[in-house]
Amino acid sequence: MVESQGLGRGLTNYGDRDFARFLRRSFARSTGISPQLLDKPVVGIAMTPSGFNNCHRYMPDLVEAVSRGVLAEGALPLPFPTISLGEVFLSPTSMMYRNLMAMDTEEMVRAQPMDAVVLIGGCDKTVPAQLMGAASAQVPAVQLVTGPMSTGRHRGVRLGACTDCRGFWGKYRAGTIERNEIEIVEGRLSVTAGTCAVMGTASTMACIAETLGMALPGTAAIPAVHSDRLVAAEESGRTAVRLIHRPILPSEIITRQSVENAFRVLMALGGSTNAVVHLTAIAGRLGIRIPMNRINEISDETPVLVDLKPVGEGYMEDFFAAGGVGAVLRELKPLLHLDTIDVNGQSLRDRLEEPIDWIDRTVVRSSDDPVSKVGGLIALQGSLAPDGAIFKRAAATPALFETEGRAVVFEGLDDLSLRIDDPDLDVQPNDILVLKNAGPHAAGMPEAGYLPIPKKLAQAGIKDMIRISDARMSGTAFGTIVLHVAPEAAVGGPLAVVRNGDRIRLSVASKRIDLLVDEDEIRQRLEGFQSPTAPTRGYRALYRRSVLQASEGCDFDFLVMPPA
């Protein structure tokens, strides 16, 4: 055994290296692994099963398949757990714990003796957390996603979490379907293991992992229940062993060019707004910054090509059958940086020169016949969001793109819950709903930006109106919604002093969101600002002290690398 390889790496410090090696091998022998296999290089397998995470329910099968690939290639697989973030089971929000999982991943990859690692995750925050950890740990790594779930059926209509859950819940709130039907739908939305069946955050991040080059080509969209998902897991294990013999570090794969490619694919997918925060955080771990004006340039140059919910009609299983990320990349080829490399060491140029079996043009459109001529997301700036905000124009109502309206303000999540359905709420369809104190410092930045249409308006047939907040929204959601307003209200951003009746202007054409209040008036209002009381102990106190704003990826200030 080479001392710097396998179980000889990073010996525990007892002040006696020979004793440390002897003791480690003694404990390793207790697992029943032969001395010959203990001499092999080690591939760690970061596994994230949890009873609170249905997206990862097939994790044991994936770990077994990865292990099979590692053994077949002549190395020793050693699975290890990290925390797992099940989106809908965490309070106040999984976003608060993304950085904790990233730290867990980074430290366990660095601290334990492994020559390479396969990272298995799927649910919304797990893949960005693992990529952030891998970028910082700088051990050769392969990302393996768990894959999307398959669709269900309800009265002859396909259903998929979670865009359809929002659609049906909106109908229930509006009174157009009854309680018994919403209870039936509840059992038909999520019918298999896997991530949400639409181009939400989980699927968007899977596609980004493949575009960056950290996941194997063709693996992002394979359904969780498909046999090819296990084949991909086995090949991921093999690839990790090859990386030991021909190391390629995450910093060689995640570059400014590959990050720009990922932003471009994000635009073509009509993907999740959350991906902007996550990709910014991943890039920030390597000192890479993509300014908002560059994001907007990429968006304006890039058509939406993928016809999936929440932007279009299809589901992830359709995307897989249509050609997946590879089909999208081929359409975007003239716009991509082609010298980036993946975990195989293959350049994107070489990958795209390989033939593709078939592309279903009803799902992945050609660049000559796009879903939209411009990208799905844009960054906004203006007097309400000096450091930026995000707007998903692909899922919004074009008639609202150039709007000035009256603010109807909710001071926080409790206020929103208390008053949104009050029949006496002073609100009209052309008003602008404003939610404060839902950003990273105030509330961990939950997916609360998808403010419900006030019940009295929903019952009158109103399906969309402008909503603004410092929160996020689910990648499966839709509507004319301004998100990630920075600085957030809780740190004294202009959002903090918006009052009922103030006028706000949204201009998608100018990429601006403005509070139409005199600058001196805004300053005077802010003079009396007081930030919310901060937690005093544990992880929440660390989070509050250290978390950055959405425009900086909501990472911790002490984990971000200075710009290169």
Side-chain angles (χ1 to χ4, degrees):
M1 178 177 65
V2 180
E3 183 172 310
S4 61
Q5 188 177 76
L7 293 182
R9 287 175 63 100
L11 290 169
T12 309
N13 192 351
Y14 299 107
D16 183 338
R17 293 181 61 81
D18 290 338
F19 171 72
R21 187 179 301 106
F22 164 74
L23 187 61
R24 176 175 288 178
R25 287 184 63 84
S26 175
F27 273 84
R29 290 285 292 274
S30 76
T31 65
I33 300 173
S34 69
Q36 292 77 15
L37 197 52
L38 292 176
D39 286 337
K40 298 290 186 181
V42 171
V43 172
I45 305 172
M47 59 178 185
T48 53
S50 170
F52 293 102
N53 197 339
N54 174 65
C55 303
H56 295 191
R57 183 153 55 89
Y58 289 163
M59 188 68 59
D61 293 343
L62 293 173
V63 171
E64 180 183 358
V66 172
S67 299
R68 195 166 60 232
V70 171
L71 288 166
E73 205 69 21
L76 173 62
L78 289 180
F80 65 97
T82 69
I83 61 172
S84 181
L85 306 179
E87 174 64 32
V88 301
F89 289 97
L90 285 163
S91 175
T93 168
S94 64
M95 186 65 181
M96 180 175 285
Y97 301 102
R98 183 202 65 180
N99 296 349
L100 181 61
M101 183 176 178
M103 293 171 70
D104 186 3
T105 302
E106 174 187 347
E107 297 303 333
M108 289 302 97
V109 168
R110 271 206 303 230
Q112 297 176 130
M114 64 191 75
D115 304 294
V117 62
V118 176
L119 308 159
I120 313 179
C123 196
D124 286 22
K125 309 305 175 292
T126 62
V127 171
Q130 289 179 325
L131 290 174
M132 290 161 69
S136 295
Q138 285 299 297
V139 169
V142 181
Q143 181 74 55
L144 173 66
V145 298
T146 58
M149 67 176 69
S150 300
T151 54
R153 297 292 186 277
H154 175 65
R155 298 181 179 177
V157 178
R158 293 170 76 194
L159 297 182
C162 193
T163 300
D164 294 326
C165 71
R166 300 178 191 282
F168 273 93
W169 190 253
K171 293 176 183 178
Y172 175 65
R173 280 176 49 81
T176 59
I177 63 174
E178 300 297 327
R179 181 73 191 180
N180 66 323
E181 184 171 0
I182 201 71
E183 290 175 351
I184 292 169
V185 168
E186 179 185 289
R188 295 177 177 175
L189 282 162
S190 305
V191 294
T192 73
T195 56
C196 288
V198 298
M199 191 57 77
T201 303
S203 291
T204 301
M205 290 309 304
C207 295
I208 282 176
E210 182 176 332
T211 302
L212 286 172
M214 291 297 293
L216 288 175
T219 61
I222 304 169
V225 298
H226 199 294
S227 61
D228 282 354
R229 176 55 59 196
L230 297 177
V231 175
E234 182 180 310
E235 185 57 28
S236 295
R238 289 178 177 272
T239 300
V241 180
R242 297 181 195 124
L243 284 171
I244 297 172
H245 303 300
R246 189 193 61 206
I248 304 174
L249 298 179
S251 58
E252 298 174 80
I253 297 170
I254 304 172
T255 63
R256 177 174 297 276
Q257 289 71 32
S258 69
V259 171
E260 286 202 354
N261 285 347
F263 270 116
R264 200 172 292 281
V265 167
L266 168 62
M267 303 306 172
L269 296 172
S272 170
T273 50
N274 290 307
V276 178
V277 175
H278 297 322
L279 191 50
T280 298
I282 294 163
R285 291 297 182 97
L286 296 169
I288 300 167
R289 307 287 190 274
I290 307 297
M292 282 185 289
N293 64 340
R294 179 57 182 150
I295 292 173
N296 282 335
E297 287 174 359
I298 290 170
S299 184
D300 287 344
E301 296 166 353
T302 309
V304 177
L305 300 176
V306 178
D307 191 1
L308 294 190
K309 291 186 176 186
V311 171
E313 294 301 320
Y315 295 88
M316 283 301 294
E317 59 193 17
D318 305 316
F319 183 55
F320 170 65
V325 173
V328 176
L329 291 172
R330 282 165 174 80
E331 286 301 316
L332 296 177
K333 184 176 179 180
L335 300 173
L336 296 171
H337 300 288
L338 298 177
D339 292 327
T340 59
I341 61 170
D342 62 22
V343 287
N344 286 322
Q346 183 183 40
S347 71
L348 183 57
R349 176 179 287 102
D350 288 344
R351 175 186 174 181
L352 298 186
E353 286 177 357
E354 296 174 353
I356 191 169
D357 177 45
W358 182 68
I359 300 175
D360 183 349
R361 291 301 182 190
T362 64
V363 177
V364 180
R365 303 279 194 88
S366 70
S367 55
D368 295 330
D369 180 33
V371 176
S372 169
K373 292 182 179 180
V374 291
L377 309 176
I378 56 172
L380 306 173
Q381 282 186 289
S383 61
L384 187 57
D387 294 339
I390 296 297
F391 182 76
K392 189 172 184 177
R393 58 183 170 187
T397 302
L400 298 175
F401 281 9
E402 306 297 321
T403 297
E404 180 183 321
R406 182 185 68 143
V408 177
V409 179
F410 300 92
E411 293 295 329
L413 297 170
D414 290 341
D415 186 33
L416 173 68
S417 180
L418 181 68
R419 293 195 296 122
I420 191 66
D421 289 338
D422 186 341
D424 294 326
L425 180 67
D426 181 13
V427 64
Q428 301 296 324
N430 57 349
D431 288 338
I432 295 175
L433 305 182
V434 176
L435 172 65
K436 303 178 185 179
N437 295 309
H441 278 253
M445 207 179 182
E447 291 184 340
Y450 183 71
L451 280 70
I453 303 297
K455 181 171 283 189
K456 68 179 183 181
L457 296 184
Q459 291 173 338
I462 301 301
K463 292 183 170 56
D464 194 12
M465 56 194 302
I466 297 175
R467 288 155 275 179
I468 300 172
S469 75
D470 45 15
R472 299 176 300 113
M473 76 174 180
S474 169
T476 64
F478 45 87
T480 309
I481 302 174
V482 178
L483 303 153
H484 309 182
V485 170
E488 65 176 297
V491 299
L495 184 67
V497 295
V498 179
R499 296 175 178 173
N500 284 315
D502 285 346
R503 306 291 292 181
I504 295 174
R505 180 186 297 130
L506 167 67
S507 175
V508 174
S510 300
K511 298 181 176 65
R512 291 192 63 86
I513 184 72
D514 288 295
L515 175 60
L516 303 182
V517 173
D518 185 76
E519 289 183 14
D520 289 338
E521 171 67 15
I522 293 174
R523 279 195 293 269
Q524 288 177 9
R525 292 183 187 181
L526 282 170
E527 286 176 1
F529 169 79
Q530 288 186 330
S531 62
T533 302
T536 57
R537 66 175 302 277
Y539 176 73
R540 292 193 180 197
L542 172 66
Y543 181 92
R544 178 67 177 272
R545 283 198 305 270
S546 305
V547 70
L548 298 168
Q549 291 293 290
S551 55
E552 300 171 282
C554 295
D555 202 356
F556 288 159
D557 52 14
F558 59 86
L559 294 175
V560 175
M561 184 181 291

